Amino acid sequence: MNKNIVILGTQWGDEGKGKIVDYLTSDSSYVVRYQGGHNAGHTLVVNGKKTILHLIPSGLLHNNVIGVISNGVVVSPLELIKEINMLKKNHICINKRLFISRSSPLVLQYHIEMDIAREKKLGISALGTTGRGIGPAYEDKVARRALRIGDLKNEKNLSMRLEKIVSYYNHQLVSFYKQKPVDYKIVLRDLLPTIDVIYDMIKDTTNILHRAIKDKKKIVFEGAQGSFLDIDHGTYPYVTSSNSTIGGVLTGTGVGPKHLDYILGVTKAYSTRVGYGPFPTELFDNTDKHFSNKGHEFGSTTGRKRRTGWLDAVSLCQSVHINSLSGLCITKLDVLDGLNEIKICVAYRNVHTSEVISFSDIDDWENVTPIYETYPGWNRKTLGIKKLEDLPYEARNYLDRIEEITQIPIDIISTGPDRSDIILVKDNFFI
Ligand code: GDP
Ligand code: IMO
Ligand code: MG
């Protein structure tokens, strides 16, 4: 039986999705990136060797797997080529096993300039974007002016359209943001050599996936970002510009819900967030230092220090609902080793009225304070443990409480960065 799996983040990104996608694709035929762009940074560690991927689907380290970048992803051809070359250097050849949707919007230099200019102008109200041009690229898509991957096949038309769109951007960059204009000829000059490399990868990826479904091939769908960075369901406006929740799979691939057999929510055993915006359980004390140092909480894309905090079970329950999660994968359990006590936020309280508020009732995050349950920590090392029964009693207790609160099973536990540091609690994936 084939089982198509969706793997998505339930928090604010960097939950460890890349590692889990890599682990779960070993027996699959396809791995699909369906939203976001090179704002993502997915880290894989195989036998101690680290690879960070931004655009290329994480399952491609298995040479039997075909990768698809579907229509929901915004693609920077320059970044894609960089990544292909990086993999080549590491003896991973993706030749004939990477397909890109002809409908994917392009991310080009003017998007990046606009992203950076806007953040600068916003000053203290900045969002803390990755500065990769992702927001402007999605704006172009919705405004129906985007250049798309398929347009690379018509060079003459491309040049004309590029000139027009760059002049539209320059008007804003120069007049409003007081920045230097972008030269469309330079954008074109940089873009043209990429076309040869990616020309044969340009496909109708919806068709490819439907053929795979008909042939009963297993497909893994790889989410980027996390549920609370979702443009609709996240902590708006401190969000990214795509749907990182479950709907992004459907619109971002053209595959319907009846073909999604299992939806796995990847959840860090604590919380992190990069960039600005609400973060109710954020810490500024020694526990933050513990998470930061032991968990190496620095962005895989920008190198920024990630903000850290206790696990927020209120938002996690919201994630379970909005994504129809089948089960959870708890990552970075080993990072909790050595803490005297561990907290879980089980409710939010309004700081002024002391009333308990539900997630969807919040209109001002400034007024929210977490209510915690406290559990004993453990002093033993869990790094690399592969069997549930080998975990300390206190760690199992913590995991049991998460299951009890969320009402869904924890089917995978990750106990270290390496592909092999994993506990498969229930095999819903390889059958
Ligand atoms: P993603 O964006 O969700 O794929 O996550 P990132 O790769 O940006 O960040 C997760 C980080 O945690 C990476 O450095 C991973 O190597 C690391 N990691 C993943 N799972 C574990 C784990 O269980 N334990 C530890 N210590 N590190 C992990
Ligand atoms: P992965 O896939 C964590 C955050 C940025 C910023 C906000 C908007 O590795 O989990 P953008 O550049 O997307 O317009 O920035 O979203 N952000 C991420 N944070 N992990 C990511 O991806 C992220 N992608 C974007 O820090 O707060
Ligand atoms: Mg990441």
Side-chain angles (χ1 to χ4, degrees):
M1 192 185 111
N2 76 313
K3 251 198 165 177
N4 299 329
I5 305 165
V6 179
I7 298 170
L8 54 80
T10 62
Q11 294 158 310
W12 283 277
D14 302 326
E15 295 91 346
K17 300 174 293 293
K19 171 190 163 157
I20 303 305
V21 170
D22 169 65
Y23 170 70
L24 290 178
T25 36
S26 62
D27 72 333
S28 78
S29 302
Y30 289 85
V31 59
V32 186
R33 261 293 301 274
Y34 54 86
Q35 45 74 229
H38 65 295
N39 48 351
H42 296 176
T43 314
L44 323 174
V45 183
V46 182
N47 299 326
K49 189 173 166 33
K50 190 196 262 195
T51 307
I52 299 178
L53 297 173
H54 302 282
L55 263 177
I56 289 188
S58 297
L60 280 194
L61 258 51
H62 301 280
N63 56 23
N64 53 312
V65 176
I66 294 172
V68 172
I69 296 176
S70 63
N71 58 281
V73 180
V74 287
V75 178
S76 156
L78 295 180
E79 288 302 320
L80 183 67
I81 304 280
K82 260 194 219 161
E83 229 168 284
I84 292 173
N85 289 340
M86 179 274 290
L87 287 176
K88 242 189 222 160
K89 254 196 207 147
N90 289 297
H91 311 291
I92 297 156
C93 180
I94 52 104
N95 207 4
K96 295 199 167 60
R97 57 186 192 99
L98 178 64
F99 300 122
I100 310 167
S101 168
R102 58 183 189 200
S103 310
S104 292
L106 296 179
V107 183
L108 295 168
Q109 193 56 33
Y110 46 90
H111 297 118
I112 295 169
E113 300 298 337
M114 182 60 82
D115 192 357
I116 295 169
R118 281 205 190 126
E119 284 284 275
K120 212 164 139 191
K121 177 123 183 150
L122 281 168
I124 54 160
S125 310
L127 306 179
T129 72
T130 59
R132 299 299 192 265
I134 304 301
Y138 276 113
E139 283 170 38
D140 276 0
K141 165 178 165 167
V142 177
R144 297 167 290 189
R145 62 172 168 257
L147 284 169
R148 309 200 295 177
I149 286 281
D151 294 322
L152 297 178
K153 288 191 159 181
N154 183 342
E155 219 173 290
K156 191 160 160 262
N157 201 15
L158 178 70
S159 159
M160 260 163 34
R161 290 192 49 204
L162 198 59
E163 186 175 6
K164 258 196 203 158
I165 199 165
V166 169
S167 103
Y168 167 80
Y169 269 85
N170 279 343
H171 178 65
Q172 297 173 63
L173 281 171
V174 175
S175 317
F176 189 72
Y177 292 103
K178 311 289 178 220
Q179 299 297 311
K180 284 197 202 120
V182 170
D183 183 344
Y184 93 91
K185 288 199 189 96
I186 293 180
V187 180
L188 189 63
R189 183 201 67 190
D190 293 343
L191 188 57
L192 288 178
T194 67
I195 300 178
D196 276 351
V197 185
I198 59 180
Y199 197 92
D200 290 339
M201 301 177 188
I202 304 172
K203 301 279 179 206
D204 179 336
T205 53
T206 302
N207 257 345
I208 290 178
L209 293 176
H210 279 282
R211 222 176 306 131
I213 289 166
K214 198 163 167 236
D215 294 344
K216 302 211 175 318
K217 305 280 190 200
K218 175 176 165 183
I219 306 171
V220 170
F221 296 89
E222 173 179 7
Q225 289 80 53
S227 295
F228 297 106
L229 290 174
D230 182 282
I231 185 75
D232 288 287
H233 298 286
T235 46
Y236 193 88
Y238 298 96
V239 292
T240 190
S241 297
S242 65
N243 282 115
S244 45
T245 52
I246 191 67
V249 182
L250 312 181
T251 53
T253 63
V255 172
K258 74 175 177 186
H259 299 299
L260 310 179
D261 301 301
Y262 187 103
I263 302 160
L264 180 68
V266 184
T267 306
K268 212 176 266 192
Y270 48 101
S271 303
T272 63
R273 170 162 209 170
V274 213
Y276 306 113
F279 187 4
T281 64
E282 185 167 15
L283 296 168
F284 301 94
D285 57 6
N286 281 337
T287 312
D288 168 48
K289 287 200 186 90
H290 174 102
F291 289 147
S292 213
N293 296 334
K294 208 172 164 98
H296 305 288
E297 295 297 354
F298 297 88
S300 335
T301 298
T302 57
R304 289 178 291 176
K305 182 193 176 300
R306 295 173 181 150
R307 299 154 67 193
T308 76
W310 295 114
L311 182 70
D312 180 348
V314 179
S315 61
L316 181 56
C317 287
Q318 178 78 355
S319 246
V320 171
H321 295 147
I322 59 181
N323 291 303
S324 290
L325 295 184
S326 317
L328 293 175
C329 164
I330 301 292
T331 59
K332 303 190 95 161
L333 186 70
D334 54 295
V335 176
L336 302 182
D337 295 357
L339 289 172
N340 285 332
E341 51 182 35
I342 291 162
K343 296 188 183 192
I344 310 179
C345 165
V346 291
Y348 295 154
R349 196 189 291 286
N350 182 308
V351 282
H352 302 300
T353 63
S354 290
E355 267 175 318
V356 170
I357 23 178
S358 69
F359 188 92
S360 36
D361 275 343
I362 297 165
D363 44 25
D364 183 1
W365 284 94
E366 294 287 312
N367 294 337
V368 170
T369 186
I371 301 173
Y372 289 114
E373 282 177 3
T374 304
Y375 293 92
W378 54 90
N379 253 324
R380 272 169 49 205
K381 216 168 100 173
T382 64
L383 182 74
I385 284 185
K386 294 174 180 56
K387 286 192 200 139
L388 191 63
E389 56 270 30
D390 291 344
L391 287 178
Y393 165 80
E394 294 83 356
R396 293 192 59 176
N397 199 34
Y398 179 62
L399 297 167
D400 286 348
R401 185 64 186 130
I402 297 172
E403 280 191 333
E404 206 172 81
I405 297 172
T406 57
Q407 297 280 295
I408 57 166
I410 294 171
D411 284 341
I412 304 181
I413 301 159
S414 173
T415 55
D418 205 277
R419 184 191 272 171
S420 61
D421 300 329
I422 210 141
I423 301 172
L424 186 59
V425 181
K426 182 156 189 244
D427 188 357
N428 277 313
F429 312 98
F430 295 108
I431 43 171

